[in-house]
Amino acid sequence: MDALLLPLIVACPLLAAGLLFMSAGRMPPLPTCVIGAGSVGLSALMAAMLATGFLRTPPPAGALHATLWSWMQVEGFNTRIAFTLDPLSLVMMLVVTGVGFLIQLYAYGYMHDDPGIARFFGCMTLFVAAMLVLVFSSDLLSLYIGWEGVGICSYLLIGFWHTDTANVAAARKAFIVTRIGDAALLCGLLLLATRAGTLDIPALLHIAATRPADLSAETAAFLLLGGAVAKSAQVPLQTWLPDAMAGPTPVSALIHAATMVTAGVYLIARLHPLFASVPAAMTAVTIIGLVTLLLAAGSALVQTDIKRILAYSTMSQIGYMFLALGAGAWQAAIFHLVTHAFFKALLFMAAGAIILRVHHRQDIYQMGGLARAMPGVFVAFLAGAAALAGLPLLTAGFYSKEMILQGAWHAAPLLWAGALLGAFATAIYIFRCLFIVFFGTRHTEPHGRTGATMAMPLACLAVLALTGGWMEMPDAIAPVHLLSHLLSPLFGAPMPEGPTWLLWAGSLVPLAGVGVAWLLWRPRIQTRAPPEDALARLARAGWDFDTLYDVLIIHPFVTLGRLNQTDICDRLSNATAATARAGGRMLGRMQSGQVRRYAGWIAAGTVVALCLGARP
């Protein structure tokens, strides 16, 4: 029975997506929401049942398998469509279905009057189904199907309001940048398939742990890392994520919290024996994570668009997860993935509620004084901000970030210092946003109220953002290690805890960041953003990676293409086409439809044939 639930959890949103697409927009909003959100809710219910049974009576082999069919069998290679539920996929399943259902429910209140709501929910449910395929797959080829599925769904959802050319450009940018990583990932999979003769994950991990040279592990690890970096928006392929804010806010919540950007973290964690066998790849993961978390935090400090602040925040928090993965703190990375899903979905959904009620304005300096006008949204945003900043004891983000800091300390004190600096900047930028939006002088009068379908998910996520970290605590606070105990069969024992002063430092630094934010942006009359110096403008532009890529890649290729428009190959093809057109015109003149001309051609041909035959 449990093995049957695995494909059913995927099938529910997949069938719902097909039904919504086939409705061609003729279905009213309420049935559309019932089908879309209901299918993900049903998957979440089955996931909870499956998780309960798994935890109560673990399978004998530590994992539950469901083989659907054999995909291809050729000499030296075979692959199959099969799902596996182990502790890692169990955690991801609960996050994707649980948070995904809350986002779907919220989306009805946000999108109920949009004429394309059926297409929207169809893409959203397909997004969840693709992510579940990625999570459950026990074969890298079927994982790649889910990987590409979330990519195409993100393209469709980012450009959902396609009448605006800026939205289309943002969707195209996300699609192209992530395709770079997808190409690297595909090359890595082909290399592994060639070397091992299979893409079955357990078989590959066994070879990686015992004979990594047989897999060309170093090359494969870096190719797979390229895919993870692009999908999770890490330096240097992070430029697509801020522009992805062009999509509706529920899309932003789904991409940033439960699905796409966590796929790269999941891939590295799933294949951790392969990466652990390549120290250079682990170092690269660590450096990428540290650089991304600091650069993104610096950009978030100077943004004025509320959704772009949260977008850069996501890049920074995923950077923390990469840092933990590279340091070998596997449990810490997954723990932060879980808590981040709670508070980042909460923050995006609270931001969406604000945007709806202030006439779709997104500039934080056009808001102000909203705490009294929308107290429920304020409490929700405060809970999410506190969790993101990692305020001690009270929030889930504190416990997961503290676990990462402990792992970074054991890897290298310099990494710990960089991660602590990122935590300081995180507290500053998110409470800067909160103080400007909810306190001070009101610059836009809000209208309406936040409906129940939007308020209930906010309330649930606010509770999770505050209490979700209680599953894993430092021994100095309480010896609770539920998540580590669950994941230890895959990752081994977690890293030992460091000295107590590390805990004090991790607790005081976020509080110091909140204090700095209060001193700089405490409630006062502030009608516009302060003037920016050159460094602030550079940070606001995402450190000008787009300009760099324009200069180094895009403009040279465009110029080369323009200069190469009439090369020898083009001239040969143009001459061939011109010859074919001329021959067609000549033959067309012969087919005039006039019998006397046909008779004349026949007579002329007969004379020519007789003359040729009469020659000696």
Side-chain angles (χ1 to χ4, degrees):
M1 180 61 183
D2 288 345
L4 180 62
L5 286 179
L6 274 178
L8 286 178
I9 291 172
V10 179
C12 283
L14 187 61
L15 293 175
L19 183 59
L20 291 170
F21 286 138
M22 288 189 293
S23 72
R26 292 187 292 270
M27 194 178 296
L30 183 58
T32 297
C33 173
V34 170
I35 293 174
S39 65
V40 180
L42 184 58
S43 290
L45 180 61
M46 290 189 290
M49 294 169 52
L50 192 56
T52 302
F54 187 96
L55 296 175
R56 183 181 297 145
T57 310
L64 185 67
H65 302 280
T67 302
L68 303 183
W69 64 83
S70 179
W71 190 355
M72 61 181 75
Q73 289 183 338
V74 295
E75 184 178 356
F77 179 75
N78 65 82
T79 186
R80 58 193 177 131
I81 302 294
F83 292 159
T84 296
L85 185 72
D86 61 3
L88 178 58
S89 55
L90 173 70
V91 172
M92 293 296 297
M93 171 188 70
L94 294 175
V95 170
V96 173
T97 57
V99 177
F101 168 66
L102 294 175
I103 294 172
Q104 294 265 12
L105 186 61
Y106 170 92
Y108 172 68
Y110 194 93
M111 301 288 294
H112 70 276
D113 58 349
D114 193 288
I117 188 171
R119 175 167 55 91
F120 175 81
F121 271 98
C123 293
M124 290 280 279
T125 51
L126 185 60
F127 208 155
V128 173
M131 189 65 187
L132 288 171
V133 169
L134 189 157
V135 165
F136 285 148
S137 292
S138 63
D139 187 281
L140 285 179
L141 197 54
S142 55
L143 182 147
Y144 189 72
I145 296 174
W147 188 275
E148 290 295 334
V150 296
I152 189 62
C153 289
S154 68
Y155 169 77
L156 296 173
L157 287 167
I158 293 169
F160 176 75
W161 288 318
H162 53 80
T163 54
D164 189 336
T165 55
N167 296 347
V168 176
R172 185 168 60 244
K173 181 178 181 180
F175 190 79
I176 292 172
V177 173
T178 55
R179 288 294 77 73
I180 297 171
D182 294 351
L185 176 62
L186 181 59
C187 291
L189 298 188
L190 293 175
L191 175 62
L192 291 174
T194 302
R195 301 289 291 182
T198 182
L199 287 176
D200 182 67
I201 293 175
L204 288 174
L205 296 186
H206 176 72
I207 299 174
T210 56
R211 307 186 309 277
D214 293 351
L215 293 178
S216 298
E218 186 165 341
T219 303
F222 276 100
L223 289 171
L224 297 176
L225 177 59
V229 163
K231 197 68 80 178
S232 292
Q234 298 293 283
V235 171
L237 298 176
Q238 83 287 7
T239 57
W240 66 270
L241 191 60
D243 291 347
M245 296 303 98
T249 301
V251 174
S252 303
L254 191 62
I255 289 176
H256 289 247
T259 54
M260 186 167 173
V261 295
T262 61
V265 178
Y266 173 79
L267 178 69
I268 296 175
R270 171 58 70 194
L271 302 178
H272 67 279
L274 175 63
F275 282 90
S277 68
V278 184
M282 294 289 283
T283 302
V285 173
T286 306
I287 294 173
I288 288 170
L290 181 61
V291 170
T292 303
L293 78 88
L294 292 176
L295 290 183
S299 291
L301 279 169
V302 294
Q303 298 299 317
T304 58
D305 185 308
I306 188 171
K307 288 180 66 175
R308 289 182 76 88
I309 293 172
L310 299 179
Y312 280 107
S313 168
T314 296
M315 290 166 52
S316 183
Q317 298 306 303
I318 299 293
Y320 270 107
M321 299 175 208
F322 268 66
L323 173 62
L325 293 170
W330 313 105
Q331 291 95 333
I334 301 304
F335 186 26
H336 197 58
L337 185 153
V338 174
T339 59
H340 177 262
F342 298 153
F343 61 72
K344 189 50 61 68
L346 173 63
L347 286 169
F348 267 110
M349 290 155 69
I354 295 168
I355 292 167
L356 277 185
R357 294 183 61 181
V358 295
H359 313 282
H360 295 278
R361 291 182 172 90
Q362 295 183 198
D363 191 328
I364 58 175
Y365 286 99
Q366 294 180 2
M367 300 176 187
L370 297 180
R372 290 186 177 180
M374 46 183 78
V377 175
F378 167 65
V379 171
F381 197 95
L382 177 61
L388 172 59
L391 297 190
L393 301 180
L394 302 174
T395 65
F398 165 73
Y399 296 104
S400 59
K401 197 169 292 185
E402 183 60 34
M403 196 173 180
I404 292 177
L405 290 171
Q406 297 276 349
W409 172 262
H410 286 289
L414 186 61
L415 294 179
W416 173 82
L420 200 63
L421 177 61
F424 180 65
T426 300
I428 295 176
Y429 70 67
I430 193 58
F431 275 88
R432 163 186 176 261
C433 178
L434 184 139
F435 292 147
I436 293 174
V437 170
F438 289 102
F439 297 102
T441 303
R442 187 179 300 171
H443 303 299
T444 301
E445 194 64 32
H447 70 284
R449 59 186 298 273
T450 303
T453 55
M454 297 173 65
M456 286 191 297
L458 288 175
C460 293
L461 287 169
V463 172
L464 290 172
L466 296 177
T467 65
W470 293 353
M471 68 182 80
E472 189 76 26
M473 296 185 183
D475 287 335
I477 298 175
V480 179
H481 304 288
L482 299 179
L483 187 67
S484 294
H485 178 73
L486 174 65
L487 296 175
S488 58
L490 286 178
F491 300 128
M495 286 187 172
E497 296 181 13
T500 306
W501 67 266
L502 290 178
L503 183 62
W504 281 102
S507 302
L508 295 176
V509 163
L511 294 174
V514 175
V516 170
W518 175 262
L519 291 175
L520 295 177
W521 295 284
R522 63 184 179 273
R524 63 184 186 272
I525 298 175
Q526 195 164 6
T527 58
R528 59 187 178 85
E532 296 179 341
D533 56 19
L535 181 61
R537 287 193 296 272
L538 182 65
R540 189 175 181 184
W543 306 103
D544 262 351
F545 275 86
D546 283 323
T547 302
L548 178 66
Y549 294 153
D550 284 344
V551 172
L552 295 181
I553 300 174
I554 297 175
H555 290 165
F557 271 93
V558 170
T559 302
L560 182 62
R562 189 178 295 114
L563 295 174
N564 204 35
Q565 283 180 338
T566 56
D567 63 0
I568 185 65
C569 295
D570 287 330
R571 290 175 182 173
L572 286 175
S573 62
N574 291 338
T576 303
T579 302
R581 285 194 297 268
R585 285 194 296 268
M586 184 183 67
L587 292 174
R589 292 194 184 103
M590 295 177 63
Q591 304 298 322
S592 63
Q594 297 178 0
V595 176
R596 62 177 180 274
R597 290 193 177 184
Y598 294 164
W601 283 111
I602 292 172
T606 303
V607 170
V608 170
L610 291 173
C611 291
L612 292 174
R615 293 176 60 185

